Structures are given as C-alpha cells and as structure tokens.
Amino acid sequence: MHEMSLCESIRTILEDEAAANAFKSIDVVRLEIGALSGVEPEALKFGFDVTMAGSVAANARLEIIEVPGQAWCLPCAETVLINARYDPCPSCGSHQLQVTGGEEMRIRELEVQ
C-alpha cells in the first residue's frame, strides 16, 4: 500500500511547515486528491491516523477534497470529465483524450494553532 509512504511524506511536509512557521499543532489538514491520481482515499485516511501519531499533526482531522478527472478530447475539441484514465469521451465516444486534470495530490490548506 503506497498510501503509507504518501502519509510519511505528508508528515515530513507538515513538520517542516510547523518548524518554519512556528505553530504548535495542526487541527485540520485538507488534501486535494485527483480521481486519476491512483490514491485510494480510504487507505490514505487509515494511513494518516497511524502515521501522524506523535507528530505535530497527531490530533489532526484529515479532510479530502476529491478533484474530478478531466481530459481534452481531440475530435470534439472539448474539455470533458472522466472517471478513469482510459474512459472514452462522454460526448463522442473517442479514446483520443489527453488528461488535463485529476492527477494531483496536494495539501490545499491547514488549520493550525
């Protein structure tokens, strides 16, 4: 499960931010996770609680903001929403899509003390 290593990286980022900005604890961590990122939100939530123990985010609540998958359809010349990387265009059925969004995973916001 690669979500545990993602949580360890998040912990490192949070501790670095706490040191750089002199806050004592984190109450809420808001993450944006794209539908095409390959990250399983439920596994990430489980890993988050385990990984944050003993850190500045030990009591933090994780909020996940799901970002839909987006692609540019070459035949339609439209931006369309997709659920999986190899989905066809919902407008024309073409598979000539270039992914333009939904691959990201980033810390969007922190609530700190």
Side-chain angles (χ1 to χ4, degrees):
M1 158 165 50
H2 76 285
E3 283 80 0
M4 289 300 284
S5 64
L6 291 172
C7 288
E8 290 172 5
S9 295
I10 292 168
R11 178 182 171 144
T12 300
I13 291 167
L14 297 177
E15 290 179 342
D16 290 348
E17 285 300 308
N21 294 293
F23 50 83
K24 297 174 187 165
S25 65
I26 299 172
D27 296 325
V28 180
V29 177
R30 290 188 184 89
L31 290 180
E32 286 184 344
I33 299 178
L36 309 177
S37 67
V39 176
E40 178 57 48
E42 289 306 313
L44 191 73
K45 286 179 185 177
F46 172 79
F48 183 85
D49 291 339
V50 171
T51 307
M52 296 306 144
S55 76
V56 68
N59 297 314
R61 183 177 77 245
L62 177 63
E63 293 181 5
I64 294 178
I65 301 159
E66 294 186 27
V67 178
Q70 273 190 329
W72 174 256
C73 178
L74 280 75
C76 288
E78 290 183 30
T79 298
V80 295
L81 296 179
I82 56 174
N83 296 318
R85 185 169 301 279
Y86 299 108
D87 280 355
C89 173
S91 297
C92 73
S94 171
H95 285 276
Q96 294 179 326
L97 299 174
Q98 180 170 350
V99 173
T100 58
E103 296 179 303
E104 62 273 8
M105 184 185 111
R106 67 176 146 239
I107 299 170
R108 179 175 182 172
E109 190 173 52
L110 301 175
E111 289 183 18
V112 302
Q113 290 186 21

